Amino acid sequence: MASEPTITTKSASSLIRAPLSPEENENEVENDPRAGSDGGVSAEESFETASDPDEEEFDPLLASERAVLRRRGSMPKARVSGEDEVFEEEVDGVEGDGDDSYGVARISPVGVGGGNRSLVDGEMNPSSEEGSDEVDLVPEPNSLDPDAGAKESKNSNLDESSEVKDEKFGENQDESIEAALEAVDSGVGVEGSQDPIPDESSKAFGGEDEKVGESPDKPAIEATVQEEKDDEELKGGDGVEEEASPAVEAIEEPKPVDSVPVSSGDEKEEKDVVHSEKPVELVPVAAEEKEEKDGLDSEKPLESVPAAAEEEKEEKVDVDSEEQRVELVPVAAEEKKEEKDGVGSEKPLEATTNGEEADKAGAGDADVSEQNSVKVNASIPENLELESNELNSGVAVDNNGDENLELESRELRSDAVEPENGKGLNGDTASEKTQASYDSSSKVDTHTGNDGEDTATGDSVDAVEGGDSLGQEAGENNVASLLEEASGLPELSECELDALKDDVGFSLDQDAGKNKGVTQVEEVSTDLLTNSHGGEPDVDADDGGVVSSEVVASPPVLVEEIKSRDVVFGDSKSLEADDDENVGDVEPDEEEEGLVSNGPARVAILESSETAKQIIKELEGGSSSNSSQDYRNAIEGQIASDSDEEVDTDEEGDGKELFDSAALAALLKAATGASGEGGITISSGDSARIFSVDRPAGLGSSGSSLKPLPQRPARSNVLTPTDLAVTAETENNMDEEEKKLHEKVEMIRVKFLRLIQRLGHSADDTVASQVLYRLSLAEGIRRGRQMNRASSLENAKKKARQLEAEGKDDLDFSCNILVLGKSGVGKSATINSIFGEEKSKTSAFELATTSVKEISGIVDGVKIRVIDTPGLKASAIEQAANRKILSSIKNYTKRCPPDIVLYVDRMDTQTRDFNDLPLLRSITSTLGSSIWFNAIVALTHAASAPPDGLNGTPLSYEVFIAQRSHVVQQSIRQAASDVRLMNPVALVENHPSCRRNREGEKVLPNGQSWRPQMLLLCYSSKILSEANSLLKLQDANPGKLFGFRLRAPPLPFLLSSLLQSRTHPKLSSDQGIDNGDSDIDLDDLSDSDQEDEEDDYDQLPPFRPLKKAQIAKLTKEQKKAYYEEYDYRVRLLQKKQWKEEIRRLKEMKKRGKAAPNEYAYGDMAEDYDQDAAPAAVPVPLPDMVLPPTFDSNNPAYRYRFLEPTSQLLTRPVLDTHGWDHDCGYDGVSIEQNLALLSRFPAGVSVQITKDKKDFNIHLDSSISAKHGENVSTLAGLDIQTVGKQLAYILRSETKFKNFKKNKTTGGVSVTFLGETVATGLKLEDQISIGRQLSLVASTGAIRAQGDTAYGANLEARLREKDYPIGQVLATLGLSLMSWRGDLALGANVQSQLSAGRNYKVAVRGSLNNKLSGQITVKTSSSEQLQIALLAIIPVAISIFRKVWPD
Amino acid sequence: MEIKAVSEWSGFQTFPEPTQAKLDVLFGNLNQQNVNTLTILVMGKGGVGKSSIVNSILGERVASVTVFQEEVSTPLMFSRSQGGFTLNVIDTPGLVSGGQVNKQILSSIRSFLLNKTIDVLIYVCRLDAYRVGNLDRDVTKAITDNFGKEIWRRCLVALTHAQFTPPSELDYIEYFAERSEAVLKFISSGACINQQEFQDHGIPVALVENSERCETNGLGEKIVPDGTVWIPNLMEVITGVALNGSGAISVGPKVTDSTLFGKLVFIPMVLVECLLVKLIKLAIDNDIAKETKSF
């Protein structure tokens, strides 16, 4: 931006301003001593303000003046974050401008009128892309400034990340942005702001803010403008802009605090301003967090926020800021720290905005909320943000990061601004958008709320969401519109707009720098405005909002825009705010990304405008290449880092992935005018895998495909939005491969365009535009650089038209749709409507569809194949019947996998209870949760009248739709256990007497024709998945299912198995030797032999057992005596046998090493228990008839296995608790004990269970070595199935026998579980006191992924004197486990007693510190038959109840 | 208990004149029969229009209507008096949540109604719901279990969303008839009312349209598509049920929990079983002894 050298400088320097105090930015701005920087600031401001073209009513002059004012002089615009600062400064000049737009007069340059336009024009060209930092706006010096300012402010307002970007943008960008903004503003309809420059500048600045604020203060603005004229025209531009698009700017210019004041004057603007301010502030906060946000913060009162923002890099939180606009800056900062999640961002946003917005409460709130929502969205899981950032960065690697943001924000603004009147569209549309975004934001709420991470901010998010969604939607729309070829804002020159649009579409051309971005944005936005105007009402609304925001300038701006859109109720200001925010976002890196990602992430989820996301993405990408070095760098860095991180770290739901899908969702959502349609959003696919996984076809996957390759963050030029003028046509450099790829993509594009045409939509439709955008994006990513979107799009369109004109019916496109839903909701009727004829029977009372049917037909040349299913039952009890239906559906889907799943439900079931959850869960469990990734919700009976609301008046249709959609989407989210899921919603009305439009299509109460819309959604999804598979963008990482990866290894489980005391395998010769590992001490035993006072068995007199009959004849005392003697003898016999065994073992030991092949016995105790003879005599098992394998009753493999004579001890594992038809043998157990090298005893035991579904293996192997008499070392490998994964555990321990009765063990273990490695350490000590009591104490710790678990065990065992002959045993155990700050104490007591001669009692009790426990008493006896008959009692009771119910 | 002080039925005045006249006649009728109060209990699944019916009957917005919001969580009673006649209407939360009948809500309703007498039960369903299922049957079964079978003698079915265009192939009257039949079917099956009883004491069905945008006839009264002026019609059916001769339902304290009964009976049953086994054993031994003796 040559125009305002000051501006540039200012933007750079001034941008970074200390956080403004809550007071109006204006004041600050004005007081800002950076007079000099005003220019720069103004540039920024203008950037922002420019984005508020919708404030037509503002006197452009005034607006520009305001902008100028803002920019100048006082411009102290608090630069919220670097970028913001610029804007803020500019705002100074603007008095009374409520907007805290950053310096950049948000006032839509539109207002400025021709002047602006020219300015914009000038800037547009370059601006669209990166680099056009030159702020072509400069032609109008003023405008440049404002633009720049606006941009900056917008940026700052936008996500924090954008803030960063804003700052980065620096003056240049600001200027260009401003110019663009101004242009846009003018285009938008700034009422002939006579002072083009000022307008633009005002636009640039916080265009939105300013505008908003300014409009009412036209006079003030003018005055200020006048004064400032000299300063920088930019400023003036701002002022003008502000007037022009108060709404836009006001909102957007939270950043340009300075400018805001100007715009705040206007009422409407005020609102916008407020909004914008808020967003700006918020954004700045976010940005600040990153780094440079300072400027942003300063812009608005939110200055504080910037500080906060700074801290939190991750704060994509921006979202938070929305809510609290006020002082949140510091909060924001903190939040950032916590997580990038929107949570954080929200606060900052709020903080920042709060301060400023305070006055503008009304609009501000909206804006803020929008912003917040935008931010929130952004902040949604950190990962997401990060990822989105990355995405953004990846996408917008272009240097135009900043610009992109700005551009995007502008776009958003423009969209938003899409003027109803072309000019101050922002106002109206913004409000609509706000509404829409509100809805979405509410959705976001839930969404964010769901995010674990974001729960904290959930509340704020909620609030924000409202705003956000709107803003986002606006943003989305904007983007969409932007993307869509700008049909050309009437005001702006076509080419400019186109340029803008293209630019916006792609990551802002970083080269162009902020200014350019701004310009572009402006243009785009205006374009969007006009375009969107023609679109559906929803879109318009959004567009309006977007347009107004015109943030364009910097990525942060983009975010801001989104936000601002939300906030602005029709105020362009909000947009501006976004811009402001963007501007404010100085922090290039994380912040920007955060912001950006926040935006996108949120968008996606919340149904926020996809465009916003995309814009953000672009911004991020673009921002990296922004002219503002810092900004760019930051962004790039951020992006790079993010993408890197994303790639690696995201285990589940990578933000990136999410971003993609989210972006896609947002895309679709925006496209479909979420507001009106209850938030059509694209389901974000496996967020984790959006990019990497082969997601099922559908939007989600497309999303993933579009994820920018993470490895390319540094390539700033990758995604230069450039295609336009700014960047050189890179098409020429396509090599063979690329050409082919390009051709293929082109074909897809053409196909899509033809489809659109057949449906009767235009390519400007939000959904369509987003799809096209994504296609380009995807291709760009694939090719590593962005191509000239506009041109290719034009080509494609031409070709499509041509083909369509030819009437060739060779559209090779088919779509498989699976229709699911409750019974009686209208599935078959919908199918009939799709085909236009009755292909499926429906019935009012009876179940019509009773089996799964496939229905094919050709609709408009597209082969559609629908799978009609019987209605599912919603009742929780009847889910078993559902499973049957679902499994037959599954068979179908295996044969021909559906591209789309249509989940049908009624619009008019008014209940909030999630009564359908059991049904949805059944679907998820049978068909897999991946089915929801490409699911579209179809709400039938959509034409029913909305019910009465709480206050008696009926709900508005939009609200009705939104809330109903929200409930359904929430239920799906819960069922799929993915909080990031956002499914698009299509409205359906099958009643024959539905109202029809002229073409004979059924229309809904909002005028929308539903059938083409729904078909478009379906086709879009298919197209994107085709592109996805074609471009193969996703990583070959299909394994990871979404959400089911083990997040954290079950450390306590591993720890407890580690702490178990193990016995080392021993050589047979060492049996019974107390070599440090013996359960029963041989020595002790031998001692006991001598201690034995009892008679030796052999010494007893002979004894003849009596028969039972004879026993019966004895008297009671005789019986007793008999039994006593009998038991005594048995006992002695057992002891004798025991002693003999021990003797034998001792001799073996004495004999030394046995023959090489001698089996090594396990623990002596074990041996004894098994009565192990050296060799087992093989006994053939009875030959049983094996049931047929794979029988319906036996999903297991059956093998006949003869016992080999190998040394492996193989046994089948009998599952005694199996099913009736099951023979019970579910697994095989193989054991082997051997001595390696005759010196190292080893033991292996494997247990395998396998059936069709599961495979379980448990392998236990250990080898031990003795060092001397008292030391033994054991090494072992265990393989276990933990959850769904195999865990490989390597362990090693060494046992020392310290004293006669004491053994100490120390051990380590390493566990490989999936991708995590856990290492553990243990220490154990064993003391035996006497022959009867033994104590074991062990303690250990295990660590994985930075998480540590500590545990300790203490066990005391009391044995009977004659153990193991008498089986009395008592054990007392205490265990302690600490993990993640959670302490678990447990105590358990076990005892085996014998109660009398024939009864054995086992008592077990346990209790833990969570006051849960268990007491078990088991008695066993072979005497009393009655016990067995107890089983009859429950049977009898139930029969009794059945027959005589109470 | 949310028993408010009985206030004037101010909402009565909001009804159009003809409606007021008709209602006055009905109440006069009741007064003649020495019925001075009428307690109406409104129950049904969630989201069908119970609170809206309450609001419509009373003519003022007393009950908060669930529209994507949390619904009323406890039963609420609204009392209004008009010319010596007191009308108590009890609004309850929806009986179904999470796809199942919500036992807690039923017991909370039950405890709310302790020692009150119910004159009329209005079971609310939607006219435009196309399917009946086991869930509906479970609901009626639960009502029967909790309040006794007699409650169905004092029951009438209200079909809301009456202003509805049936799918094309059906005429409104036909549709209404079929829907009523389906509803009554699941009521009788859930309540275990056999056919004969059903025919003796039928359950009347009334159409209701609570929306503000309900169509009105020339006199300003709200009408449903088959021409009936539904508010007076509903009140008429209510009074008809109230005077149909069967006893009013009074809810007494609940008898012991059936499950507890099941648990307590376990122990004596075990003992009895032991005893039985012992006896059988003795008998067998005796038999054996006799046999051996005989040798």
Side-chain angles (χ1 to χ4, degrees), chain A residues 823-824 843-846 875-876 878 906 908 910 912 915 918 946 948 950 954-955 963 991-992 1429-1430 1433 1441, chain B residues 47 61 65 67-68 70 97-100 126 128 130-131 134 165-166 168 175 178-179 212-213 262 270 273 277:
Chain A
S823 173
S843 153
F845 294 101
E846 301 301 322
S875 151
E878 300 175 286
R906 279 178 74 152
D908 58 356
Q910 296 139 30
R912 192 164 201 232
N915 277 327
D948 295 342
L950 282 178
L955 289 176
Q963 295 201 343
H991 202 285
L1429 296 176
L1430 279 178
I1433 293 182
R1441 286 237 194 88
Chain B
R61 286 191 55 247
V65 171
V67 179
F68 305 116
E70 295 301 331
S97 71
Q100 278 182 305
R126 283 177 69 147
D128 57 354
Y130 296 111
R131 299 280 184 267
N134 289 335
T165 319
S168 54
Y175 180 84
E178 269 204 65
R179 175 74 180 142
E212 292 285 326
R213 290 159 288 184
V270 172
E273 190 250 353
V277 170

Side-chain angles (χ1 to χ4, degrees), chain A residues 375-421:
Chain A
K375 286 205 180 139
V376 174
N377 293 338
S379 54
I380 286 195
E382 296 176 329
N383 321 343
L384 291 178
E385 296 181 344
L386 277 174
E387 293 182 318
S388 40
N389 283 337
E390 291 190 279
L391 286 177
N392 294 339
S393 27
V395 174
V397 165
D398 297 335
N399 316 322
N400 300 337
D402 298 334
E403 289 187 332
N404 291 342
L405 278 178
E406 292 184 343
L407 194 55
E408 291 186 334
S409 48
R410 262 172 199 261
E411 290 180 326
L412 293 174
R413 298 221 192 149
S414 350
D415 292 341
V417 178
E418 174 103 34
E420 314 206 282
N421 22 10

